[in-house]
Amino acid sequence: AQKVTQAQTEISVVEKEDVTLDCVYETRDTTYYLFWYKQPPSGELVFLIRRNSFDEQNEISGRYSWNFQKSTSSFNFTITASQVVDSAVYFCALTGNQFYFGTGTSLTVIP
Amino acid sequence: DAMVIQNPRYQVTQFGKPVTLSCSQTLNHNVMYWYQQKSSQAPKLLFHYYDKDFNNEADTPDNFQSRRPNTSFCFLDIRSPGLGDAAMYLCATSRPYSGTVPNQPQHFGDGTRLSIL
């Protein structure tokens, strides 16, 4: 069975705080891909990052960073010094034998 | 700018009355997808086209059909909408993928919000 769990349904932080969004996945595939997407209130999903199962190197892009750990089946997303514009629903997704979105984490950044 | 365009942004139809949602893209991507997203839920993949090859998800109801007349356009037809079909419908595109399952980053449109009276 394939599954993506985003246990945090809603998170609120004060602007400039750091925040980590958790993503835990299950798959029996040896080759798979993990994604993060952002869905702001306007509704359009925006691609943030893709990682394949053979690349556990962490990545940093500006205030965004991703921590991929196969040992714990996790692909967590950290926003440093959060801003109001970061307020959105964030989805983690997995591709193995099928494409599957997690249930999403709604992040609110309070000014 | 290259993009994915969905029309209309809001669509209202009557219970049981067929409705068509449209999607166009200027990215020249081979793959186009249709998702259904209900309120506060994750997007659910309905089907996708890899060029002209249609790939239906196993649990997509027969009430949902799709057409892709050319690379740029894709349509979602709901033959007899029920109240449970009220949702946001998202179109996305991507470059070709290897293997049998989409694994390329997807570019999404703004969505069409469908209401059923």
Side-chain angles (χ1 to χ4, degrees):
Chain A
Q2 189 167 290
K3 190 177 178 181
V4 177
T5 301
Q6 295 182 256
Q8 303 150 307
T9 306
E10 295 181 2
I11 301 176
S12 292
V13 298
V14 177
E15 201 171 21
K16 297 185 183 178
E17 287 184 348
D18 299 346
V19 59
T20 296
L21 310 182
D22 298 333
C23 174
V24 175
Y25 63 92
E26 295 177 31
T27 182
R28 294 179 186 168
D29 297 312
T30 53
T31 301
Y32 53 90
Y33 292 82
L34 292 160
F35 301 80
W36 276 97
Y37 284 86
K38 174 183 180 181
Q39 189 173 37
S42 59
E44 178 186 352
L45 277 149
V46 177
F47 164 76
L48 296 177
I49 190 171
R50 181 183 77 159
R51 264 283 175 267
N52 73 53
S53 51
F54 300 107
D55 182 4
E56 285 193 74
Q57 190 172 11
N58 292 330
E59 181 155 339
I60 298 174
S61 176
R63 296 184 296 107
Y64 295 172
S65 62
W66 291 270
N67 184 324
F68 177 28
Q69 293 194 342
K70 288 179 75 171
S71 60
T72 56
S73 297
S74 65
F75 186 42
N76 296 337
F77 173 30
T78 297
I79 302 174
T80 303
S82 60
Q83 301 176 2
V84 172
V85 293
D86 297 327
S87 297
V89 180
Y90 291 86
F91 291 97
C92 181
L94 168 67
T95 291
N97 61 3
Q98 63 185 95
F99 187 79
Y100 191 86
F101 273 98
T103 50
T105 297
S106 177
L107 173 66
T108 301
V109 180
I110 303 166
Chain B
D1 287 342
M3 56 197 331
V4 180
I5 303 165
Q6 291 188 244
N7 285 307
R9 190 84 165 93
Y10 300 92
Q11 176 75 55
V12 181
T13 191
Q14 293 178 331
F15 182 94
K17 185 175 181 180
V19 65
T20 296
L21 308 182
S22 71
C23 177
S24 64
Q25 56 134 338
T26 58
L27 295 160
N28 204 32
H29 282 168
N30 298 70
V31 191
M32 294 187 78
Y33 309 79
W34 279 105
Y35 289 85
Q36 180 193 64
Q37 186 179 24
K38 296 188 176 180
S39 181
S40 301
Q41 295 186 19
K44 180 182 178 301
L45 183 62
L46 296 173
F47 27 60
H48 72 279
Y49 274 96
Y50 193 135
D51 292 324
K52 293 187 177 182
D53 292 335
F54 180 69
N55 299 270
N56 197 32
E57 294 300 301
D59 56 355
T60 298
D62 293 338
N63 197 28
F64 292 88
Q65 304 286 319
S66 186
R67 297 170 283 134
R68 190 180 186 185
N70 54 52
T71 300
S72 301
F73 287 88
C74 195
F75 300 98
L76 170 61
D77 300 308
I78 309 177
R79 294 193 296 188
S80 182
L83 295 178
D85 297 328
M88 176 76 86
Y89 289 88
L90 298 167
C91 175
T93 71
S94 78
R95 298 179 187 279
Y97 56 85
S98 58
T100 59
V101 180
N103 55 27
Q104 290 292 329
Q106 296 179 29
H107 300 257
F108 284 82
D110 289 339
T112 294
R113 185 168 295 282
L114 178 66
S115 300
I116 314 293
L117 299 180

